[in-house]
Amino acid sequence: MSVTPKDVDHVARLAHLSFTDGEKQRLTSELNTILSYMEQLNGLDTEHVEPLAHVIELANVFRPDVRTPGLAADDALQNAPGRSDDFFTVPKVIADR
Amino acid sequence: MLTATKAFCGCPNRFGDAPNSNVCPVCLGLPGTLPVLNRNLVEYIMRMGLATGCRITPRSILARKNYFYPDLPKGYQISQYEEPICVDGNLEIELEGGAKTTVRIKRIHMEEDAGKLIHDQGPQTLVDLNRCGTPLIEIVTEPDLRSPREAYHALILIRQMVTYLGICDGNMEEGSLRCDANVSIRLRGETALGTKTEVKNMNSFRNVERALEFEIQRQTDLVSSGGRVVQETLLWDADAGCAYPMRSKEEAHDYRYFPDPDLVPVLVDQAWERSVRDALPELPVPRRDRYERAFGLPRYDADVLTAERPVADYFEQTLTALQTLRPGDGAALAKPVSNWVMTDVLRVVAEEKVDVASFPIAPVRLAAMIGLILDGTISGKIAKDVFEAMLTSPAEPKAIVQERGLVQVSDGGAIAAIVEEVLTAHAAQVQQYLGGNERVFGFFVGETMKRMQGKGNPTMVNAVLKVRLAARKG
């Protein structure tokens, strides 16, 4: 499996990132290096190895269903890029019909 | 979900508060914060899973579903992808006429909700993050529903179940119960389903049915005229009565799910599963069947009484209280209690928009009043007045009856005296009756009752009238 500049475009778009052509070239080759490194793992027999979702062996960490103090709206909105009354504002994200 | 707090932080899980007043660094997705799972959410989803015959996964994990949208400040939604906590259940729905059909449940998983966006106020989109991080469960069914009506019944049953289980208020208008419907059509006899579309934004049970009818018709027309269904998401517009393609600027569906490294696996052992199972309440369908079987109630009554759990609870508390007053009568008391709950209690509940659970006449008082009818103290007609009085007075029905002089007159001599007065005063009608016009009998009953201010024992008034009229036949 190898990464093409088109794959880089796709992933960049999903991550809301934009790159110059030079950066794309570099990333393509870097990602390919990482993939080929990971490729080595395919040489191992993992037939009887449980998939690992976490490196720490903890489970069932819960919170009781009890309220804890949060932030006042003013504090929550302090770093907002845009504000109208107590709402965050963003450019319109739905097309008008 | 009816948890007190959000899924991963201690902010209130509450609808209708001032914008951005129930938020904290965790649900705002600020850097350096860590989510911690609400234990009640796990219990609640297990209730629904067990109630629908699902298998509880011994080890389930939480995953990140990645996408950018302003209602999701973290840039991902915490959900479950592989290894959801409940799998392989089923719902048995019942249609009009009693036909039953089974809908398989593929999975039920837990996740957090996104915030709320308001698009129609001003040039910008407004963002309220109170709902962000509130807990949801998503019930995914297999494509077993064959008509909008079946979908409607499935939803009604789901609402009934979640409210019985006490895990959700089931309110579609407020969005506590939502439905995203996948719709596909196929030619008769075909086994493969056609391309599906997803319809969203139906905020009532009726609208789900209408939206599905619309979409089935749209696809049918499209295919009939040689077109092809494209996979897309449609939004239902209830006012326009049509669904239109969602034209949001959301990215294409490529969510790149992966296990959330911030959250550890959820392990459910047999003891935990058993404790949740043992604590499940009786569910609506078994309860309805029990009402028919144990109380001998008609199916109609059983349906109405068990449609909502508070009503069923009210009914049973009243019945139990009445059975304590009249131990010998047992199940025979169910029908009179059912009648009062269905006609009078539910009428007032609907008119006054009150909650059955806090109905002004507590079950014990209603039972005491029905007891007064059954022991002959008051007539059923007078009872209606007593019931009205009890709505605004905390007094015991017996006290109300005495205070207002409503005790039924069952004294044969007193009734006979009034009956004589009536028959004497209406000699012409008596002649009509004796001449064969039996319909005037009702007139005599009415006149007698009027003179007795409605307090005459109706059975006795009828009997005495018959005897005295017969005597006049000579």
Side-chain angles (χ1 to χ4, degrees):
Chain A
M1 195 173 99
S2 73
V3 173
T4 64
K6 218 178 133 207
D7 296 323
V8 173
D9 273 341
H10 177 65
V11 176
R13 197 165 46 85
L14 290 174
H16 284 202
L17 296 171
S18 58
F19 297 113
T20 63
D21 283 347
E23 285 170 325
K24 265 183 233 168
Q25 281 305 324
R26 183 167 56 78
L27 281 164
T28 308
S29 92
E30 282 180 11
L31 285 171
N32 274 319
T33 311
I34 294 167
L35 277 185
S36 67
Y37 177 64
M38 299 306 284
E39 215 30 55
Q40 292 178 37
L41 290 175
N42 280 342
L44 295 173
D45 177 9
T46 55
E47 181 83 1
H48 302 288
V49 180
E50 284 263 308
L52 181 77
H54 288 274
V55 287
I56 37 171
E57 294 204 358
L58 265 179
N60 288 4
V61 176
F62 299 120
R63 192 172 59 70
D65 190 14
V66 174
R67 288 180 188 159
T68 49
L71 295 174
D74 274 337
D75 293 328
L77 288 154
Q78 187 170 237
N79 298 318
R83 173 177 181 171
S84 167
D85 294 327
D86 282 341
F87 290 99
F88 294 88
T89 59
V90 295
K92 206 157 246 191
V93 288
I94 199 161
D96 286 320
R97 268 197 283 148
Chain B
M1 294 287 101
L2 284 174
T3 56
T5 63
K6 293 188 179 183
F8 301 105
C9 63
C11 288
N13 169 28
R14 203 163 46 207
F15 178 83
D17 284 357
N20 296 304
S21 58
N22 296 331
V23 292
C24 76
V26 174
C27 54
L28 289 173
L30 299 188
T33 55
L34 277 177
V36 186
L37 182 56
N38 184 336
R39 192 177 194 280
N40 272 359
L41 173 56
V42 183
E43 295 253 339
Y44 286 9
I45 193 170
M46 281 165 66
R47 284 190 204 166
M48 189 59 182
L50 292 169
T52 52
C54 283
R55 191 155 48 74
I56 303 296
T57 314
R59 177 186 185 278
S60 70
I61 56 172
L62 292 136
R64 292 186 182 181
K65 176 180 179 179
N66 300 280
Y67 64 94
F68 284 111
Y69 208 56
D71 59 7
L72 190 72
K74 292 197 298 299
Y76 58 87
Q77 176 191 29
I78 303 175
S79 180
Q80 294 197 289
Y81 187 58
E82 292 165 309
E83 304 176 48
I85 187 159
C86 306
V87 291
D88 298 335
N90 55 71
L91 281 174
E92 190 171 82
I93 58 169
E94 211 170 308
L95 310 167
E96 284 87 359
K100 289 179 181 171
T101 183
T102 299
V103 183
R104 288 167 298 155
I105 291 175
K106 188 190 180 78
R107 55 186 280 159
I108 308 178
H109 63 254
M110 50 189 158
E111 61 185 30
E112 57 177 342
D113 206 348
K116 191 174 161 184
L117 301 181
I118 301 168
H119 303 292
D120 56 2
Q121 290 185 18
Q124 296 204 293
T125 290
L126 305 180
V127 187
D128 173 8
L129 296 176
N130 281 348
R131 200 178 63 185
C132 194
T134 58
L136 288 182
I137 66 172
E138 188 161 295
I139 302 165
V140 183
T141 60
E142 298 283 0
D144 291 339
L145 292 164
R146 292 285 173 267
S147 69
R149 199 64 193 157
E150 287 186 15
Y152 172 88
H153 282 289
L155 263 186
I156 292 279
L157 179 60
I158 287 172
R159 185 193 44 183
Q160 233 186 355
M161 294 184 80
V162 295
T163 52
Y164 264 68
L165 293 169
I167 61 175
C168 173
D169 65 23
N171 187 331
M172 280 197 94
E173 285 75 20
E174 289 182 2
S176 5
L177 182 69
R178 305 204 277 264
C179 166
D180 296 347
N182 288 322
V183 180
S184 62
I185 58 170
R186 62 182 167 190
L187 289 174
R188 198 177 295 280
E190 199 75 46
T191 47
L193 295 165
T195 305
K196 68 182 179 191
T197 58
E198 185 176 5
V199 192
K200 291 179 172 230
N201 199 39
M202 295 86 80
N203 68 349
S204 73
F205 294 91
R206 178 70 192 117
N207 269 313
V208 169
E209 202 178 356
R210 285 175 66 209
L212 295 184
E213 281 162 5
F214 170 88
E215 178 56 10
I216 290 170
Q217 193 58 50
R218 188 189 71 87
Q219 291 190 11
T220 308
D221 292 347
L222 192 63
V223 172
S224 306
S225 60
R228 258 187 44 223
V229 176
V230 245
Q231 185 159 354
E232 62 184 337
T233 300
L234 304 160
L235 290 182
W236 172 248
D237 182 333
D239 297 327
C242 69
Y244 54 90
M246 186 163 93
R247 264 184 276 158
S248 109
K249 292 175 187 164
E250 193 173 336
E251 291 289 348
H253 291 196
D254 184 350
Y255 295 128
R256 294 148 296 144
Y257 285 95
F258 65 90
D260 191 327
D262 286 345
L263 288 151
V264 297
V266 177
L267 306 184
V268 181
D269 60 13
Q270 286 186 353
W272 192 6
E273 181 178 327
R274 197 179 319 113
S275 76
V276 175
R277 191 190 296 278
D278 289 349
L280 287 182
E282 185 183 28
L283 289 162
V285 172
R287 196 166 190 176
R288 183 198 66 199
D289 293 346
R290 180 167 61 85
Y291 281 18
E292 283 187 276
R293 204 180 52 246
F295 301 147
L297 287 175
R299 174 58 179 272
Y300 176 79
D301 291 40
D303 267 332
V304 173
L305 294 172
T306 58
E308 295 188 27
R309 186 178 169 186
V311 177
D313 288 345
Y314 184 94
F315 163 76
E316 277 190 59
Q317 285 160 15
T318 309
L319 179 58
T320 307
L322 187 58
Q323 284 171 333
T324 314
L325 293 174
R326 303 178 63 86
D329 292 354
L333 299 170
K335 186 56 185 164
V337 173
S338 167
N339 289 345
W340 277 94
V341 172
M342 290 200 309
T343 39
D344 300 277
V345 176
L346 290 183
R347 171 182 54 82
V348 176
V349 163
E351 282 171 6
E352 310 288 326
K353 304 213 180 339
V354 289
D355 206 355
V356 185
S358 54
F359 194 68
I361 304 176
V364 188
R365 282 211 303 153
L366 182 62
M369 195 210 69
I370 300 174
L372 293 180
I373 308 171
L374 296 175
D375 68 18
T377 308
I378 54 174
S379 66
K381 193 166 177 302
I382 290 289
K384 300 280 175 187
D385 298 334
V386 177
F387 182 85
E388 288 302 317
M390 287 167 74
L391 288 171
T392 49
S393 156
E396 283 303 311
K398 200 165 196 164
I400 292 176
V401 166
Q402 275 160 3
E403 183 192 320
R404 305 190 179 204
L406 297 173
V407 178
Q408 176 168 264
V409 178
S410 300
D411 172 349
I415 294 173
I418 305 282
V419 163
E420 277 305 320
E421 276 177 39
V422 169
L423 297 183
T424 312
H426 300 284
Q429 283 85 349
V430 172
Q431 285 313 312
Q432 286 176 26
Y433 180 84
L434 295 177
N437 181 4
E438 299 208 342
R439 279 181 304 168
V440 284
F441 188 77
F443 167 79
F444 299 131
V445 174
E447 283 301 308
T448 310
M449 281 301 206
K450 206 195 282 173
R451 287 178 190 235
M452 301 186 73
Q453 286 110 46
K455 288 182 285 185
N457 178 327
T459 318
M460 293 186 67
V461 167
N462 274 289
V464 172
L465 269 168
K466 287 228 164 91
V467 170
R468 297 285 159 145
L469 282 164
R472 278 172 164 70
K473 252 179 197 161

